[in-house]
Amino acid sequence: MNETNCPARLSRRLAGAILFALAAGQAFAQSAPTPAPAPANTVKIGVIGPFTGASADFGVPMLNGIQLAVDEINAVGGYLGRKIEIVRRDDKADPDVGLKMSQELVAEKVLATVGFCNTGVAAKSLDVFQTNKVPLIIPCSTGSPLTAKFPAPESYIFRTSAKDAIQAPFVVDDILKRGWNKVAVFADTSGYGEAGLKDVEKAMEAKGQKPVYIARFPLGVKDLTEELKAAKAAGANVVFSYTVGPENAVIARGRQSLGWKVPQVGGWPLSFPFFIEGGKEAADGALMAQTFIAEPSNERRASFLTAYARKYQVKRIPVPMAAAQGYDAVYLLVYALLGIRDGNLTGPSVKTALESKNRTYYGVVATYDQPFSANDKDAITQNMLVMGMVKNGGVTFAYPEDAKRNLFVQRKQ
């Protein structure tokens, strides 16, 4: 559906949809033969991510998107008159801190949690949520193993970000179409880099290809000149980087200092400020997979961008995908809660509701008919991706046809 009306109209429409769902839920509850015990005044939702430290550039936009959604929902009644209360924890992009904070959230009796930006941090905490039967919706971390650790029907781990198992083949398909078939992969040694490298190799193998060079390096590395020289000597005509922080900029500046004019491609971290601002002109032209590009291409996205800018007094969201995916995750959770007709809010009941067919949510990233099921915990499919390109200090569409296609919000395939 092509939606190009004013943001104010969408805000009214969203509020109306939520109020309709709330009223329906209230009416059902009133007609239920055995009413549930009187609920508390709030519904506690955990939020965890790197709100300070090296990964705050995408942790804070994620938090802001989550808070924006919660504020909108509370403004029209919350969940059956109960306010949504955020219980926030900062994992500082540290796996040990993340584990401790996850344990604290469970101890706080949160109904569900939305969070994690770093794959390695999330991986260390998954057992906490699974063991305690607290649903976790991951709006940022993309490491493929996260939603595959537990058997799908038993898993309490859900995700609204694009896992690397779909990002990597999407980018590989694009670079091969462009004739860039001699790939040098630069992957850090974090959980993100490790999983991403495997996904790239698997995607290339499916096309009868393999990297001509692979470089591994720790987070925090300041110089990759020797590795870049080796990649150049191996005949690489494209650099595929899989790292989450300033190391992407180290690669870009290293290519520039060597005068090696080959493109740099990768997953969504190439849209982060660490890369764009750190790489400066060396970052221009870089290509990456995106679920959401911050352009008001339709009514939903225009409304979201306007509301975010007004609330947080910014002209540009540092990492738009993190904000949009966090925002959509909250709405999907609340829509699921509205499907629990007896008011018995428990971890297992929320899990079942998330896996069920609820009312369609017309989100910022996608239109969600049934984002999850008992056998599928990832809401994003490859058809929802577009290629982004760094240009003039921001990210725009790599292809004009993607900009046109973006007028139509995609549905899961």
Side-chain angles (χ1 to χ4, degrees):
M1 180 178 179
N2 189 348
E3 300 179 2
T4 55
N5 298 318
C6 70
R9 186 180 301 173
L10 177 61
S11 296
R12 292 193 297 271
R13 194 175 297 168
L14 280 174
I18 298 167
L19 284 169
F20 177 86
L22 289 170
Q26 200 112 33
F28 188 97
Q30 290 170 354
S31 65
T34 307
N41 291 329
T42 62
V43 176
K44 288 185 178 182
I45 303 299
V47 175
I48 185 169
F51 308 134
T52 60
S55 295
D57 60 342
F58 60 121
V60 171
M62 178 194 76
L63 173 63
N64 288 348
I66 291 169
Q67 186 68 63
L68 177 61
V70 167
D71 288 350
E72 289 176 353
I73 293 166
N74 282 338
V76 292
Y79 168 74
L80 303 183
R82 298 165 65 183
K83 295 291 185 183
I84 306 297
E85 177 188 345
I86 286 179
V87 182
R88 188 177 84 178
R89 291 293 184 271
D90 182 359
D91 64 34
K92 302 180 181 179
D94 183 310
D96 292 327
V97 174
L99 177 60
K100 183 176 184 294
M101 295 300 103
S102 296
Q103 292 166 340
E104 287 187 7
L105 287 174
V106 168
E108 285 274 351
K109 305 295 185 183
V110 298
L111 180 62
T113 292
V114 180
F116 290 114
C117 289
N118 304 89
T119 295
V121 180
K124 192 158 187 175
S125 294
L126 295 183
D127 284 313
V128 174
F129 297 97
Q130 184 71 15
T131 301
N132 290 281
K133 297 182 178 180
V134 176
L136 169 68
I137 304 179
I138 302 172
C140 279
S141 299
T142 58
S144 300
L146 297 180
T147 46
K149 180 172 183 179
F150 307 108
E154 303 168 17
S155 180
Y156 279 75
I157 313 303
F158 300 81
R159 175 160 45 193
T160 59
S161 57
K163 64 182 178 181
D164 292 313
I166 64 173
Q167 285 195 57
F170 180 75
V171 177
V172 166
D173 285 348
D174 185 76
I175 62 178
L176 292 179
K177 287 176 185 176
R178 294 171 182 261
W180 302 335
N181 59 351
K182 295 180 179 179
V183 183
V185 183
F186 278 63
D188 67 40
T189 52
S190 71
Y192 173 73
E194 185 70 30
L197 172 60
K198 291 178 181 177
D199 286 326
V200 173
E201 290 181 303
K202 184 177 180 180
M204 293 190 68
E205 183 180 355
K207 298 292 182 179
Q209 303 281 335
K210 64 179 183 179
V212 298
Y213 178 80
I214 295 175
R216 304 303 306 279
F217 51 88
L219 292 175
V221 68
K222 304 297 184 185
D223 187 359
L224 290 167
T225 301
E226 294 306 313
E227 289 84 353
L228 288 163
K229 286 180 178 177
K232 182 178 181 181
N237 58 12
V238 60
V239 172
F240 200 134
S241 57
Y242 243 101
T243 184
V244 75
E247 299 78 19
N248 274 318
V250 171
I251 295 168
R253 292 194 304 269
R255 289 188 298 104
Q256 184 182 54
S257 65
L258 290 175
W260 189 28
K261 297 181 179 180
V262 295
Q264 184 170 344
V265 304
W268 74 304
L270 289 182
S271 67
F272 291 10
F274 266 138
F275 175 65
I276 296 174
E277 296 171 8
K280 295 185 169 51
E281 68 276 3
D284 264 11
L287 300 167
M288 80 297 294
Q290 297 278 274
T291 61
F292 172 69
I293 290 177
E295 295 187 10
S297 51
N298 58 51
E299 185 179 354
R300 305 174 204 173
R301 290 164 180 159
S303 177
F304 169 74
L305 292 170
T306 300
Y308 190 104
R310 183 185 301 118
K311 182 175 180 64
Y312 299 109
Q313 297 297 300
V314 295
K315 293 183 178 179
R316 176 181 290 177
I317 306 174
V319 183
M321 276 178 61
Q325 290 166 177
Y327 179 91
D328 279 357
V330 172
Y331 271 98
L332 291 176
L333 175 58
V334 173
Y335 270 48
L337 296 184
L338 292 168
I340 302 173
R341 297 302 193 180
D342 61 2
N344 183 27
L345 300 186
T346 65
S349 69
V350 174
K351 173 184 179 293
T352 299
L354 284 166
E355 296 166 348
S356 302
K357 178 72 169 71
N358 298 304
R359 294 183 69 247
T360 297
Y361 166 53
Y362 299 96
V364 176
V365 172
T367 292
Y368 302 92
D369 291 316
Q370 185 172 359
F372 309 114
S373 71
N375 294 309
D376 184 2
K377 298 303 195 288
D378 282 283
I380 303 298
T381 47
Q382 191 166 317
N383 65 296
M384 299 175 186
L385 300 179
V386 296
M387 286 300 292
M389 180 176 67
V390 177
K391 184 177 181 181
N392 299 327
V395 176
T396 188
F397 295 97
Y399 298 110
E401 55 267 34
D402 277 346
K404 294 178 182 178
R405 187 169 71 93
N406 206 49
L407 295 171
F408 302 86
V409 181
Q410 299 299 305
R411 295 171 185 256
K412 189 171 185 176
Q413 291 183 353

